Amino acid sequence: MSAGRGGGVRGTRLPRAVRERQMMDAAVHTFGRRGYRVASMEEIAGLAGVSKPLVYLYLNSKEELFTACVRREARALRASVRDSVDPRLPADRQLWAGLTAFFTHTAENPDGWAVLHRQARTHGEPFALEVAAMRDEMVARVASLIGAAAREAGTAGRTPELAARDMTGLAQALVGAAESLAGWRHEDGTVSARDAAATLMNFAWVGLGELLRGERWTAR
Amino acid sequence: MSAGRGGGVRGTRLPRAVRERQMMDAAVHTFGRRGYRVASMEEIAGLAGVSKPLVYLYLNSKEELFTACVRREARALRASVRDSVDPRLPADRQLWAGLTAFFTHTAENPDGWAVLHRQARTHGEPFALEVAAMRDEMVARVASLIGAAAREAGTAGRTPELAARDMTGLAQALVGAAESLAGWRHEDGTVSARDAAATLMNFAWVGLGELLRGERWTAR
């Protein structure tokens, strides 16, 4: 970990992959805390213990470095959630496992989450597409879990109004709720990943459970 | 509306407030579609039909112009939601009215919503505080509606675990879900404001209703 400290690359013989990883770690930390626009390549190089030209040599530009960070953090978050979910379990257990993994991962990687959620969604930037793709995948997975739950509940036939689009809408609501709770936890700092997942399961699943039984809210 | 076209300010005698409004309209449109970083003051001036120096004279800098846009759009959204809600109605009706107003306003002002939700939340920027304040107000209002609903249901005493923090968590989930659905509607383009509000009421209220009756999701 102390390799490369002291500035400059001379005298160090770290493999390129290790160097790149150090630079990316420093970049995620800096972008996540300071914001894309404010963060400087000097800061990132300093934190990584390398020279600024080396960062440019390896990662080309601030934009490409940020895009690489987005891609890496998105891949890590996806993998955490995916690996936690056993597809043989009932839909609500899968959702519970996925949400717990999501809140745990975002709590353990607050800078990575800030990069994905607060920095990279700004549209008009090329990296926004990376985050949009990750988010679309999450929404699709949640929508398919809701579909599976509807089939498990055996009510899919009886509640025809829960069509594919309704499931996408519900999945969008659930993913947005999870994002919001992750941000709240980040600010509050005292809510555990399990508590956040439980809040959302109660909110979402008790609600979805009723929806799947054919309950509807109506204006009195 | 055609006043001021043809570039330059000479020969026009529009009051400053009208000019500023035209510039802000042009700025919201441009920032909302192109993104803060990519949008240029030339583009904004061109769309407003004024010279670039005049934009600087009136609104100082790109950052101040953007901050003014954020403030104006946040104020308009807040007012739409607030004016739609009759505090004498039951909590779920208030939420329904507020959500319908929220989805209607964001659909009618897609660029303003993009400025608030996709551009201005990028932290590290001074304008992020404006949006955070608006969002905190929404969360507080929703939390207080959930509290009112708990009292209406008469179960506040029987479900002590629905404490202030749980209500904030649920309100965070609901606001995040609403933001997500507003973004989805923006991309999808075929979901009406009423449909979006109904999706969220069903998701949130049928779920909350069960929570308030003491139902809990538990891992089987």
Side-chain angles (χ1 to χ4, degrees), chain A residues 32 37 90 92-93 118-119 121-123 125 135 165 169 172-173 177 180-181 190 202 206-207 210 217 220, chain B residues 32 37 90 92-93 118-119 121-123 125 135 165 169 172-173 177 180-181 190 202 206-207 210 217 220:
Chain A
R37 206 166 63 93
D92 64 335
R93 291 305 299 270
R118 314 238 13 210
Q119 304 294 329
R121 294 184 66 188
T122 306
H123 69 240
E125 307 288 356
R135 199 175 189 279
R165 198 161 88 161
Q172 284 278 359
S180 179
L181 285 170
T190 64
N202 269 313
V206 177
E210 289 303 295
W217 176 85
R220 286 189 296 265
Chain B
R37 206 166 62 93
D92 63 336
R93 292 305 300 270
R118 313 240 10 212
Q119 305 294 330
R121 294 184 67 189
T122 305
H123 68 241
E125 307 288 358
R135 198 177 189 279
R165 197 161 88 162
Q172 284 278 359
S180 179
L181 284 169
T190 64
N202 269 313
V206 177
E210 290 301 298
W217 176 85
R220 286 189 296 267

Side-chain angles (χ1 to χ4, degrees), chain A residues 176-200:
Chain A
E179 289 169 339
S180 179
L181 285 170
W184 177 56
R185 284 199 60 210
H186 187 56
E187 278 154 37
D188 182 279
T190 64
V191 184
S192 73
R194 226 184 137 78
D195 286 347
T199 296
L200 193 44

Side-chain angles (χ1 to χ4, degrees), chain B residues 66-85:
Chain B
F66 189 70
T67 304
C69 290
V70 168
R71 202 168 287 147
R72 186 181 87 168
E73 295 305 314
R75 199 185 303 125
L77 175 56
R78 270 170 159 150
S80 283
V81 173
R82 205 187 291 123
D83 294 350
S84 72
V85 176

Side-chain angles (χ1 to χ4, degrees), chain B residues 34-94:
Chain B
R34 312 253 299 135
Y36 175 65
R37 206 166 62 93
V38 178
S40 75
M41 294 294 259
E42 280 91 346
E43 257 177 299
I44 293 167
L47 188 64
V50 300
S51 67
K52 197 167 87 162
L54 192 70
V55 180
Y56 279 107
L57 181 70
Y58 278 20
L59 293 147
N60 291 323
S61 66
K62 186 170 156 182
E63 190 174 294
E64 284 188 46
L65 174 56
F66 189 70
T67 304
C69 290
V70 168
R71 202 168 287 147
R72 186 181 87 168
E73 295 305 314
R75 199 185 303 125
L77 175 56
R78 270 170 159 150
S80 283
V81 173
R82 205 187 291 123
D83 294 350
S84 72
V85 176
D86 179 348
R88 292 163 304 182
L89 289 175
D92 63 336
R93 292 305 300 270
Q94 288 188 51

